[in-house]
Amino acid sequence: MFDKLRKAILGADLPTEPVVVRIQDPRFGVFTVTGAWDPRVVTVHGPWPAVVRLSAQLQLPDAVKRRLVWLARPPRIVPNDRHAVTLTVDGQPVPLDCGRRAMRRATFNVRATVAGREYLLRHTRRWRARLERNGQPVSRLSTSDRGDTVHAVHEPGADVVDATVGVALGLVLGVGAPGFLRNLLDGL
């Protein structure tokens, strides 16, 4: 009886099975994204032989964690500050800035340096973003199912590293961001 009451109040136990998402890119092939629940670790395997991993600790009490984990299931990570998420490529840490995530859409932009290239995931609309490499656009990303999958349209100069970074950042940290008015209304 007490266990049923606890589950009704706090929510079910944390899941343990990883979430696996496969993304078919018409130009570069299949990306397999595997996300663990807690600690939140997301691994991206694809045509680029390097293993890309993003991770974050959910630093919340178990009662709150049980409620929030259902709202953002893997492979999504919702960072609570600029450096809450760690990015590694083949086990080597690389610089990642998740953005401030404040009122304006531009504060959700993500910056990373992978394989000597500087990437910027610039959110352009609610469910759309643009991936730039060294200041030049390489991909347009979008989602039609609130972030469960990512669709990419690549520029002619894009390569497999660009596609892998786009899938990793877009699927894990999100594609698109709400604008100022939507954030203001959500904050009220």
Side-chain angles (χ1 to χ4, degrees):
M1 170 81 174
F2 179 73
D3 191 43
K4 287 183 182 179
L5 180 62
R6 180 185 62 80
K7 283 187 179 183
I9 293 170
L10 298 178
D13 291 329
L14 290 172
T16 56
E17 292 295 316
V19 174
V20 178
V21 177
R22 286 183 179 74
I23 296 178
Q24 176 67 40
D25 187 297
R27 186 165 163 194
F28 295 108
V30 177
F31 294 91
T32 304
V33 182
T34 307
W37 291 89
D38 186 30
R40 191 62 58 99
V41 177
V42 180
T43 306
V44 179
H45 296 278
W48 188 35
V51 176
V52 178
R53 181 169 287 129
L54 290 106
S55 59
Q57 283 290 115
L58 295 176
Q59 298 180 359
L60 301 168
D62 282 342
V64 176
K65 207 181 284 186
R66 283 186 180 91
R67 281 289 192 206
L68 293 180
V69 77
W70 299 109
L71 299 175
R73 51 175 279 209
R76 286 297 300 268
I77 298 175
V78 180
N80 54 2
D81 71 27
R82 294 181 101 111
H83 305 290
V85 180
T86 304
L87 174 65
T88 61
V89 177
D90 281 341
Q92 299 299 316
V94 298
L96 175 69
D97 179 358
C98 299
R100 293 184 302 135
R101 302 203 172 238
M103 292 299 247
R104 293 180 31 245
R105 183 176 287 133
T107 63
F108 286 74
N109 291 346
V110 178
R111 290 169 176 74
T113 304
V114 177
R117 305 170 177 187
E118 292 183 18
Y119 287 97
L120 171 65
L121 181 65
R122 182 184 306 271
H123 303 286
T124 57
R125 299 188 70 189
R126 178 79 174 126
W127 302 110
R128 299 191 191 295
R130 183 175 64 229
L131 182 68
E132 298 175 0
R133 175 189 63 206
N134 298 331
Q136 300 298 315
V138 290
S139 301
R140 289 187 319 261
L141 306 174
S142 64
T143 183
S144 58
D145 51 14
R146 297 186 174 263
D148 288 339
T149 59
V150 172
H151 307 285
V153 176
H154 304 288
E155 298 292 328
D159 62 12
V160 70
V161 177
D162 302 332
T164 304
V165 170
V167 166
L169 297 181
L171 193 60
V172 175
L173 297 172
V175 170
F180 176 76
L181 290 176
R182 187 171 203 69
N183 282 328
L184 182 64
L185 292 174
D186 286 344
L188 295 177

